[in-house]
Amino acid sequence: PRVRRINVGDVRLRGSAVSAVDGKPLADAQVFFANGPQVRADARGEWAFADAPGGTRLLEIRAVGFYPERRTVNVVDGAAPVRVALKTYKSVIDTLKVVAQYDRFSNLDGFRERSRRGLGRFLTASDIAKRSPTVTTDLFMMVPGLSVDGVAGIDRTVKMKGIFTDTCDPAVYLNGSLMVGVSASDIDLLVPAKNIQGIEVYSQSQAPPQFVPGLSECGSIVFWTR
């Protein structure tokens, strides 16, 4: 299906992107609206839209080596500058390592219990080793209903067959915690295949309540790591 682009307006929106670690500007950071215009930050980390679409919009900011951020902004005349501080992948990974070690054996017991119920699809560490994926998202090519769209780089996204649409964006969980706004490349970096103990894949109707973020119309992917 064709991607519907949002209307481009004439509202000016500006802001800056810096590192949350040391406050240094993120030159060349990518800033864009969903299915809409995009710009890149200059050497001072500053960016500006001269023709931003008006109204409440979802703005996404990305930079190489940093965890992406999505933010809802009100695009109106005279709007205050949008300042975003991105966390490094290292800081996010260090935090996730602590979460991964917490009650690991109990988490795997839950994984095994759910797999015995027969709802969803499950991959164990042994299954993953047999498939020898180069990156974690290679595994999705082998799971019915999952796919990876886009070309190599930040534009790759994980898609799932939806109930009301041909494809939708599944919720992604790591050791029980929802990962917000992650791309396929983010998953490959944050969840190395060699560290995975189990993967659960659910359609919208199969997912247990703890793996459904609100009124979701898509399924879920759940990773458990060592």
Side-chain angles (χ1 to χ4, degrees):
R2 296 183 61 185
V3 176
R4 183 179 65 84
R5 298 184 64 85
I6 56 181
N7 293 328
V8 174
D10 56 2
V11 180
R12 181 173 176 81
L13 182 71
R14 59 191 176 91
S16 60
V18 301
S19 167
V21 175
D22 53 19
K24 291 183 178 179
L26 298 179
D28 212 36
Q30 185 182 25
V31 186
F32 57 93
F33 292 94
N35 299 329
Q38 59 180 285
V39 296
R40 288 189 180 274
D42 61 19
R44 294 176 295 181
E46 298 177 350
W47 52 265
F49 287 95
D51 55 357
T56 301
R57 303 292 183 183
L58 183 64
L59 187 71
E60 183 161 345
I61 303 92
R62 291 176 175 269
V64 176
F66 290 81
Y67 198 71
E69 179 169 331
R70 289 180 177 176
R71 180 174 296 188
T72 301
V73 296
N74 291 317
V75 184
V76 296
D77 287 327
V82 180
R83 185 180 186 276
V84 177
L86 299 185
K87 297 180 180 179
T88 64
Y89 276 125
K90 182 180 184 303
S91 67
V92 175
I93 290 172
D94 287 344
T95 301
L96 293 175
K97 283 181 180 178
V98 174
V99 175
Q101 293 170 357
Y102 178 76
D103 205 12
R104 176 169 66 110
F105 295 106
S106 175
N107 286 336
L108 290 180
D109 286 343
F111 170 84
R112 297 186 188 100
E113 174 59 31
R114 288 186 293 274
S115 67
R116 283 193 288 268
R117 297 175 189 169
L119 294 177
R121 294 181 179 274
F122 297 80
L123 295 175
T124 65
S126 176
D127 295 329
I128 294 168
K130 290 177 182 177
R131 300 185 184 193
S132 302
T134 302
V135 293
T136 296
T137 51
D138 285 347
L139 295 166
F140 297 163
M141 307 298 185
M142 310 171 194
V143 179
L146 279 184
S147 63
V148 178
D149 290 350
V151 296
I154 63 174
D155 293 328
R156 295 172 69 240
T157 57
V158 179
K159 294 294 183 181
M160 177 178 285
K161 184 173 178 57
I163 295 179
F164 304 109
T165 58
D166 291 336
T167 61
C168 58
D169 300 318
V172 179
Y173 289 81
L174 178 59
N175 297 319
S177 297
L178 179 65
M179 302 174 71
V180 179
V182 292
S183 67
S185 300
D186 297 332
I187 292 173
D188 289 335
L189 181 62
L190 296 172
V191 194
K194 65 181 181 180
N195 293 341
I196 298 174
Q197 294 294 294
I199 302 176
E200 306 175 41
V201 180
Y202 299 102
S203 66
Q204 191 276 340
S205 61
Q206 295 172 328
Q210 66 267 38
F211 301 134
V212 178
L215 299 176
S216 174
E217 295 182 355
C218 199
S220 303
I221 304 171
V222 184
F223 295 96
W224 301 105
T225 61
R226 44 173 120 235

